[in-house]
Amino acid sequence: RAQARSTATPVQWRATARGFEFDGSGSATSADAVLAARDWLAPGLQAQIERPPGATALQLGPEPVIAAQTLLLRLEGRELRLVTDGFVPFSVQAGAPASP
């Protein structure tokens, strides 16, 4: 999100078959290496965007306020959620689903 804000370029995060990638990083700079596609550190990790329903990517900016978003991560029977209400940075929420 900081990259999106600093470059004034919309950036999306999306899960891939092996990990995740960022799309829309803007100009070709050394910062693009940070935005390159990455494999998950733990094989078998699964990611699902829960909010907004039906979304295929998280929208990371560059606007100061973004839509409320939730990403569910699952690994070996455990899960946690990365949640933002759009005003505060993403934070980790373990256990129950995020409220609508």
Side-chain angles (χ1 to χ4, degrees):
R1 182 136 195 245
Q3 180 72 19
R5 297 287 313 275
S6 68
T7 62
T9 304
V11 173
Q12 296 180 334
W13 178 97
R14 80 175 86 275
T16 65
R18 294 180 39 190
F20 59 92
E21 65 185 5
F22 294 91
D23 184 30
S25 61
S27 64
T29 66
S30 60
D32 287 339
V34 174
L35 299 174
R38 306 283 177 125
D39 290 345
W40 294 119
L41 295 177
L45 193 136
Q46 298 174 335
Q48 173 188 352
I49 297 173
E50 289 188 322
R51 185 173 54 169
T56 59
L58 297 176
Q59 307 299 319
L60 302 179
E63 300 81 9
V65 178
I66 59 175
Q69 299 175 85
T70 302
L71 176 67
L72 173 64
L73 299 174
R74 287 189 187 107
L75 179 64
E76 298 176 357
R78 294 185 294 166
E79 57 184 43
L80 63 86
R81 286 172 173 79
L82 300 176
V83 179
T84 182
D85 63 4
F87 296 101
V88 298
F90 282 88
S91 62
V92 175
Q93 175 188 24
S99 60

